[in-house]
Amino acid sequence: MAYHKKSYVEHTAVRVKDIQWHIHFFREVLGMTIRSVDGAADAPNQVWTVGGMQLISDPNFKGPEGRLAHLGIMTEDLEEALELAYSRGVTELPQGRNWFALPDGLCIELMQVKGNAVTEALAINPRE
């Protein structure tokens, strides 16, 4: 059985050693303002930008491998997508049923879209 609804990557979460440096870079170089902050503004645990970046503060991160924390994917039918995902052998993560790891270790956060957000997001072709 194949999933016949649509989905899109809503955010990409990455671990960063110096979160303030990254906040300034994404804001000042790329114009990606902060839409949400977890923790104190001067020392956040994590931030989300307009434009899909989630920066997770990890001062002890040694890199370069393992920087990607997870992909956040919005989907039109969360329950159907989860049923199909689990039927293919993904591993549930501690954060909840909508968080799972693929066989190669890539972590996914699957979220139910509100309204027509998937259709609207997929209608944008940034390369035209």
Short mmCIF file of all heavy atoms in Angstrom, two decimals, residues 12 45 102 114:
data_model
loop_
_atom_site.label_atom_id
_atom_site.label_comp_id
_atom_site.label_asym_id
_atom_site.label_seq_id
_atom_site.Cartn_x
_atom_site.Cartn_y
_atom_site.Cartn_z
N THR A 12 14.53 21.43 9.42
CA THR A 12 15.71 20.57 9.56
C THR A 12 16.40 20.98 10.85
O THR A 12 16.74 22.14 11.02
CB THR A 12 16.66 20.75 8.36
OG1 THR A 12 15.95 20.41 7.17
CG2 THR A 12 17.88 19.87 8.49
N ASN A 45 18.13 27.02 24.50
CA ASN A 45 18.40 25.60 24.28
C ASN A 45 18.30 25.27 22.80
O ASN A 45 19.07 24.48 22.27
CB ASN A 45 17.41 24.73 25.05
CG ASN A 45 17.48 24.96 26.54
OD1 ASN A 45 18.56 25.07 27.10
ND2 ASN A 45 16.32 25.06 27.16
N LEU A 102 14.75 5.67 10.80
CA LEU A 102 14.81 4.79 9.65
C LEU A 102 15.93 3.78 9.86
O LEU A 102 16.78 3.98 10.74
CB LEU A 102 15.06 5.61 8.38
CG LEU A 102 14.04 6.74 8.11
CD1 LEU A 102 14.37 7.43 6.79
CD2 LEU A 102 12.62 6.23 8.12
N LYS A 114 -2.03 21.45 9.32
CA LYS A 114 -3.31 22.14 9.52
C LYS A 114 -3.71 22.79 8.21
O LYS A 114 -2.88 23.39 7.53
CB LYS A 114 -3.19 23.19 10.62
CG LYS A 114 -2.93 22.58 11.97
CD LYS A 114 -2.77 23.64 13.03
CE LYS A 114 -2.44 22.97 14.35
NZ LYS A 114 -2.00 23.91 15.36
#
